[in-house]
Amino acid sequence: MANEESFDEVLESVGPRLRALRTERGTTLAQLSEATGISVSTLSRLESGQRRPTLELLLPLARAHQVQLDELVDAPPTGDPRIYARPIKRHGTVHIPLSRRPGGLQAFKQILPEGYPGNDFEQKTHEGYDWFYVLSGRIRLRLGDQDFVVKEGEVAEFDCRVPHWFANPGPGPAEVLCLYGPQGERMHVRARTR
């Protein structure tokens, strides 16, 4: 019974929180309706508490207000924040997920053996942006017609639509912290020429 009451209290607080966010940003109901595809009347009823919030309504609102969903609903703590990563071994490399949130920014630690990827020198292109920080070792990065060696403590970021290839020239394995964002997400660190 107590859990049901606290659940109802959380849901009842969503409407005033939505109204406060909208007014803080100086957004009208019509503007928010246009941004989310939710009708003005539904938005008004949500804010006044006359309509119960659903995930289908809250997701576009969180996106429009640029806040996390749990911030919209003032969700209680979920418990242990630690991530118990399970390494993924692929083509002689080890990928360790460091984030668990689907979509959005993803973090990985990668361990590349010396000589990776062997004799494959083909540059590839795809959507998105890559960002990596070399924790130990060295990474050779070919970006278009440029060639870089990114050393321990250095970082590189690039548009993946530019033909690219990377390798571990050695000596020893290279450990790299990688961040992959959704398409269009950019980090503010740029690869530098030598």
Side-chain angles (χ1 to χ4, degrees), residues 23-189:
T23 55
E24 279 174 20
R25 289 165 168 74
T27 307
T28 66
L29 284 172
Q31 290 168 327
L32 190 57
S33 173
E34 187 175 318
T36 61
I38 301 169
S39 72
V40 171
S41 65
T42 299
L43 291 170
S44 178
R45 287 183 295 146
L46 274 172
E47 288 185 0
S48 67
Q50 294 174 357
R51 172 137 187 193
R52 193 173 180 107
T54 65
L55 195 55
E56 291 169 327
L57 296 171
L58 292 176
L59 286 173
L61 287 168
R63 189 174 301 121
H65 289 305
Q66 296 181 337
V67 298
Q68 300 295 324
L69 185 60
D70 58 350
E71 188 178 330
L72 265 188
V73 296
D74 194 26
T78 56
D80 190 349
R82 294 175 292 177
I83 296 170
Y84 297 97
R86 292 174 48 186
I88 302 162
K89 295 180 181 180
R90 189 182 312 155
H91 308 295
T93 66
V94 178
H95 302 263
I96 304 167
L98 301 176
S99 56
R100 62 178 168 202
R101 196 162 172 219
L105 197 61
Q106 299 291 315
F108 292 90
K109 178 180 177 183
Q110 294 182 337
I111 303 169
L112 307 174
E114 182 175 342
Y116 172 87
N119 293 325
D120 178 11
F121 298 103
E122 181 185 350
Q123 290 182 307
K124 301 195 183 317
T125 62
H126 53 87
E127 289 297 315
Y129 291 86
D130 278 358
W131 178 97
F132 67 86
Y133 174 82
V134 180
L135 296 165
S136 65
R138 302 179 321 150
I139 295 293
R140 180 176 173 203
L141 171 64
R142 290 197 58 221
L143 189 58
D145 60 355
Q146 297 179 313
D147 204 336
F148 306 92
V149 174
V150 186
K151 300 176 189 141
E152 184 175 323
E154 293 184 328
V155 64
E157 183 258 354
F158 54 91
D159 184 334
C160 294
R161 293 173 295 185
V162 175
H164 60 281
W165 167 89
F166 63 92
N168 176 3
E175 295 187 7
V176 181
L177 178 63
C178 302
L179 298 178
Y180 302 107
Q183 293 178 4
E185 181 74 30
R186 291 193 72 147
M187 297 295 123
H188 297 290
V189 181

